[in-house]
Amino acid sequence: MTLNERKLQILQAIIADFISTGEPVGSRTLSKSPGIEVSAATIRNEMADLEEMGYLTHPYTSAGRVPSDKAYRLYVDELMDTSDLPEESKEAIREKLSETRMELDATIEHAAVLLSEMTNLTSFAITPRADENRLKYIQFLPVDERTVVLMLVSERGKVLNKAIRLTVPYTEENLELMSKVMTNNYMGKTISAIMAHDIVEDFTSDMSSLSCIARDVMPCFMRTLQKMLDVDLYMKGYTNVFDLPEYSGDPEKGRSFLQLLENKNHLKEIIVNRDEGLVITIGDEHSEEMQDVSLITADYKVNGKLVGKLGVIGPKRMKYGEISSVIKYISENISETFEIKGDTDDKSED
């Protein structure tokens, strides 16, 4: 049995209707769809064929049909609308992301918020572990007589701040000297290479006059370097799915979805190891615990180098074309922004 033009047209109409309404689609409803010019009886026959071919399933509580994972895959690969976003949507994205364009971490978190708002799904943005990320500069900022803030800035725009409580007093001249010496020692070196140094020896040989302050600073410096290597996963819109009928009407399914999101380490691993580019995976293409969901991801870059991924996770019934366009444009906007701004000197809160 072949998937001829009429079957494709009917299948596309069923998928579009089901994505829109969440209700199983019957032949009578389909016969009223624009562009469908065959009788309800003919549609019923074609739907029976499509079910036999594995593109439709037949919920036992309804006479209508719903798309299978196989149908969604065909739709994503060949049938969905892949046109660009309207200009007003692009302008809204540019405007909202521009608010944090000098701070990579803040921009990525903001992108996750924006993506959740625009798709009404659970969104995420992730920065993979960056062993080759290089330090740009180190600075110590005074707070009070015994507290300073250590600020590390990487060449990829990652900024981390950490308050340090000192056991000895300091002067602003001390802090300025320590900032200059440490920046001179470590600027342009990868985070992993710095951590392989004998940091104690570096402190002793270069800052013997500051050795008391250095003893307080060194442990915090090492912990902050380690944090700069860690994967950051921002997730927004956890409960958006409960506005959808497949979850609001099935509490057990909702709980399973939340449990999936709670296992962040596993989710990080899945996302980080996905192929580059815009990737859509559906239902049974995943491992067992994710067979009720679809996952859409895209990459973003800094200075032309892949830095992380962003995307959405939600039910298989989602607006694949529209959502893919949003994700793609947000990721491209971030990449373009940090092609220029990736070496930001601005500051952000950790």
Side-chain angles (χ1 to χ4, degrees):
M1 194 179 301
T2 60
L3 198 59
N4 58 30
E5 185 175 345
R6 187 164 69 187
K7 284 184 173 62
L8 275 175
Q9 183 186 32
I10 289 173
L11 181 60
Q12 185 170 14
I14 291 171
I15 295 171
D17 190 278
F18 184 67
I19 287 175
S20 176
T21 68
E23 297 293 333
V25 184
S27 57
R28 184 178 296 275
T29 299
L30 206 59
S31 67
K32 299 174 184 177
S33 299
I36 303 294
E37 299 178 351
V38 294
S39 68
T42 300
I43 292 172
R44 279 196 297 273
N45 290 334
E46 295 288 17
M47 290 173 72
D49 288 346
L50 288 166
E51 185 171 3
E52 186 177 340
M53 296 169 72
Y55 291 103
L56 299 177
T57 62
H58 191 168
Y60 70 91
T61 57
S62 170
R65 306 298 202 280
V66 300
S68 66
D69 293 1
K70 182 180 179 180
Y72 282 128
R73 173 47 59 194
L74 177 69
Y75 177 78
V76 164
D77 291 344
E78 300 182 23
L79 303 176
M80 75 177 183
D81 181 6
T82 57
S83 57
D84 283 347
L85 289 176
E87 187 55 39
E88 57 267 27
S89 297
K90 291 182 178 181
E91 177 60 30
I93 290 171
R94 290 194 296 267
E95 182 178 340
K96 290 185 179 181
L97 289 184
S98 70
E99 297 171 8
T100 54
R101 67 181 179 274
M102 299 298 289
E103 304 167 5
L104 178 60
D105 283 5
T107 299
I108 300 311
E109 184 171 12
H110 200 173
V113 173
L114 180 58
L115 186 52
S116 176
E117 290 174 350
M118 294 187 71
T119 63
N120 294 316
L121 292 172
T122 302
S123 67
F124 55 82
I126 190 167
T127 302
R129 182 180 174 89
D131 293 317
E132 296 309 308
N133 200 1
R134 298 173 185 273
L135 270 189
K136 184 179 181 184
Y137 70 82
I138 300 164
Q139 189 170 358
F140 292 90
L141 305 172
V143 177
D144 58 36
E145 62 181 12
R146 288 294 176 90
T147 308
V148 300
V149 169
L150 165 65
M151 182 172 68
L152 302 184
V153 181
S154 78
E155 290 183 353
R156 291 183 178 176
K158 190 175 182 70
V159 181
L160 291 180
N161 296 333
K162 186 66 178 178
I164 305 173
R165 186 69 176 170
L166 302 178
T167 59
V168 294
Y170 67 87
T171 65
E172 291 194 20
E173 290 75 18
N174 290 155
L175 296 187
E176 185 177 352
L177 175 60
M178 192 153 58
S179 298
K180 287 180 178 179
V181 171
M182 291 183 68
T183 296
N184 183 66
N185 276 352
Y186 304 126
M187 181 176 62
K189 294 182 179 179
T190 65
I191 308 300
S192 49
I194 295 170
M195 295 186 70
H197 271 231
D198 188 337
I199 304 293
V200 177
E201 183 178 338
D202 288 344
F203 271 83
T204 303
S205 61
D206 290 330
M207 293 179 287
S208 56
S209 63
L210 304 174
S211 58
C212 291
I213 298 176
R215 281 197 296 270
D216 292 336
V217 165
M218 183 177 62
C220 182
F221 178 61
M222 292 298 292
R223 288 194 299 270
T224 309
L225 281 177
Q226 179 62 52
K227 188 174 181 181
M228 192 163 270
L229 287 175
D230 290 343
V231 171
D232 291 325
L233 175 63
Y234 304 107
M235 297 194 73
K236 306 295 177 181
Y238 278 84
T239 60
N240 282 353
V241 294
F242 291 102
D243 294 330
L244 303 173
E246 44 266 85
Y247 291 96
S248 61
D250 189 342
E252 184 57 39
K253 192 172 184 179
R255 281 194 293 270
S256 296
F257 182 77
L258 290 180
Q259 287 172 359
L260 173 63
L261 300 185
E262 286 171 1
N263 192 351
K264 284 191 174 181
N265 288 334
H266 182 54
L267 205 53
K268 283 180 189 178
E269 184 179 354
I270 291 169
I271 296 166
V272 168
N273 290 321
R274 284 165 73 83
D275 292 339
E276 294 185 22
L278 182 72
V279 179
I280 302 173
T281 47
I282 302 164
D284 60 13
E285 296 170 0
H286 301 130
S287 55
E288 183 177 355
E289 73 276 11
M290 292 180 60
Q291 290 193 357
D292 283 333
V293 304
S294 287
L295 188 62
I296 306 179
T297 55
D299 311 318
Y300 64 87
K301 300 179 180 181
V302 170
N303 291 331
K305 295 182 179 180
L306 189 149
V307 173
K309 296 178 184 291
L310 57 88
V312 299
I313 183 170
K316 292 180 284 187
R317 185 185 67 87
M318 66 169 66
K319 298 177 180 178
Y320 290 97
E322 179 182 319
I323 293 169
S324 296
S325 296
V326 172
I327 292 171
K328 186 171 182 288
Y329 188 76
I330 290 177
S331 65
E332 288 173 351
N333 186 274
I334 294 171
S335 299
E336 289 169 7
T337 297
F338 287 95
E339 182 69 23
I340 301 170
K341 304 294 186 182
D343 58 350
T344 176
D345 289 335
D346 279 45
K347 302 169 187 176
S348 73
E349 292 298 322
D350 181 21

